[in-house]
Amino acid sequence: MSVPTGRVAGAVAALPPSSFFLTSAVFHYLGPSLAVLLFAHVGVLGVAWLRIAAAAVVFALWRRPWRVLRAAPPDRRRVLLALGAVLAAMNSLFYLAVDRLPLATVGAVEFLGTIVLAAAGARTPRNLVALALAVGGVAVLTDVHLAGEPLGFAFAFANCAGFVLYVVLGHRVASSGAGPLAGIDQLGAAMLVAAVVATPFGLHQAAAAFGHPLWLAWGIGVGVCSSVIPYVTDQLAMARLPRATFALRVALLPAAGTVIGLLVLAQVPTGRDLLGIALVIAGLAAHQAAHQAADPPVSRGRAPDAAGTAPPAGRVRPGRA
């Protein structure tokens, strides 16, 4: 399948993976905050459908992803269909959970799945220490209490399972293309599938927004903030980072939420918040040090591989699943 090349692709490839992840972290919290406010006017599954459908329309106009789905070989098409179904289920379950539980609690439960992925890639004692620091920081930030709303936690843990599948399938998509935008084209195809899957469950509730232009624009904004910007930047980061590294960096999300609360909502962090942020940053720093120690330095004049490091001379490193 063809992949766009040129100045845009070159500029994207030149950006560090951390820039993509930080962008995703910011919009990861802006999107749900808009969605929760919209729940007062549109049903939860209706908001989820507006989010998915709006994102599908944006990808359709921008990337024309149906061509990717049509041209994909059978095994790749199965991955895209599976990712689309996961996106539809994960987004709906997330909103059903945050309608019953605090956003920080749902986020903490969601992070449990990424712990499994990060632990699966932990090969050294330093990586295990990094993981323990990051998990401790999230626990301090979120202060999760598993009580009060059993159905909400059922949705939250189901969303956690969906998020694990999203990271695994998203990494396969990100590592399968021939250029920095190939994963975005396939993501767009998966989002079209997600819109089809979500329609029977959410369209009837979303119909309430069709007679109110403000609500409809609100839903479109939720889709752009929640399913276009963060998923695109996730794909760009996944194409450059090992899966375990990406999973561990998801620990940055609660810290980003605290910072956004301070800058946007004037919510001054407590000493507990600052301790949690410090633990998360320490974990990320320890993991980065372990990753750099395990990889050989990049030689001058040689292109890096998908993880951002160059293969040793005379050897070809196998691709990641």
Side-chain angles (χ1 to χ4, degrees):
M1 64 190 69
S2 63
V3 179
T5 57
R7 287 182 295 178
V8 174
V12 168
L15 294 172
S18 57
S19 64
F20 305 132
F21 194 86
L22 288 173
T23 302
S24 176
V26 170
F27 282 93
H28 184 88
Y29 281 94
L30 288 179
S33 64
L34 292 173
V36 170
L37 294 173
L38 188 56
F39 288 167
H41 307 290
V42 181
V44 175
L45 292 179
V47 176
W49 184 87
L50 287 171
R51 165 184 174 171
I52 296 167
V57 170
V58 170
F59 280 114
L61 295 175
W62 176 31
R63 307 301 305 168
R64 299 180 182 178
W66 57 84
R67 299 179 300 179
V68 174
L69 193 61
R70 184 173 58 242
D75 58 338
R76 178 57 43 184
R77 189 178 294 118
R78 284 192 292 270
V79 171
L80 296 178
L81 291 173
L83 179 58
V86 166
L87 288 172
M90 180 181 71
N91 292 337
S92 299
L93 290 165
F94 181 82
Y95 283 174
L96 288 168
V98 298
D99 187 43
R100 293 166 171 82
L101 298 171
L103 182 60
T105 300
V106 177
V109 173
E110 186 175 63
F111 177 71
L112 295 177
T114 67
I115 293 176
V116 175
L117 293 178
R123 301 276 194 264
T124 68
R126 184 177 291 181
N127 270 329
L128 293 176
V129 170
L131 187 60
L133 287 170
V135 172
V138 170
V140 169
L141 280 169
T142 54
D143 190 20
V144 178
H145 299 286
L146 298 179
E149 180 55 71
L151 184 58
F153 279 102
F155 289 137
F157 279 103
N159 170 68
C160 170
F163 190 74
V164 171
L165 291 174
Y166 162 70
V167 173
V168 172
L169 293 172
H171 225 277
R172 290 184 183 180
V173 167
S175 61
S176 65
L181 301 182
I184 297 174
D185 289 335
Q186 296 179 77
L187 172 64
M191 193 61 69
L192 291 181
V193 175
V196 173
V197 173
T199 293
F201 306 98
L203 179 59
H204 65 289
Q205 292 189 8
F210 296 156
H212 296 79
L214 178 60
W215 298 356
L216 187 59
W218 199 336
I220 293 171
V222 169
V224 172
C225 290
S226 298
S227 290
V228 176
I229 296 175
Y231 287 169
V232 166
T233 50
D234 280 354
Q235 278 295 307
L236 295 172
M238 287 176 179
R240 306 269 293 280
L241 295 171
R243 191 170 66 194
T245 300
F246 179 86
L248 185 63
R249 288 194 178 188
V250 172
L252 184 63
L253 295 178
T258 303
V259 173
I260 291 172
L262 173 63
L263 297 179
V264 178
L265 304 176
Q267 297 174 343
V268 180
T270 65
R272 183 188 187 95
D273 294 330
L274 295 176
L275 174 61
I277 293 172
L279 288 172
V280 169
I281 293 174
L284 293 172
H287 178 78
Q288 183 65 27
H291 180 64
Q292 290 175 346
D295 283 337
V298 178
S299 301
R300 290 182 181 271
R302 290 166 51 210
D305 64 6
T309 57
R315 292 169 53 195
V316 177
R317 292 175 62 176
R320 294 181 176 88

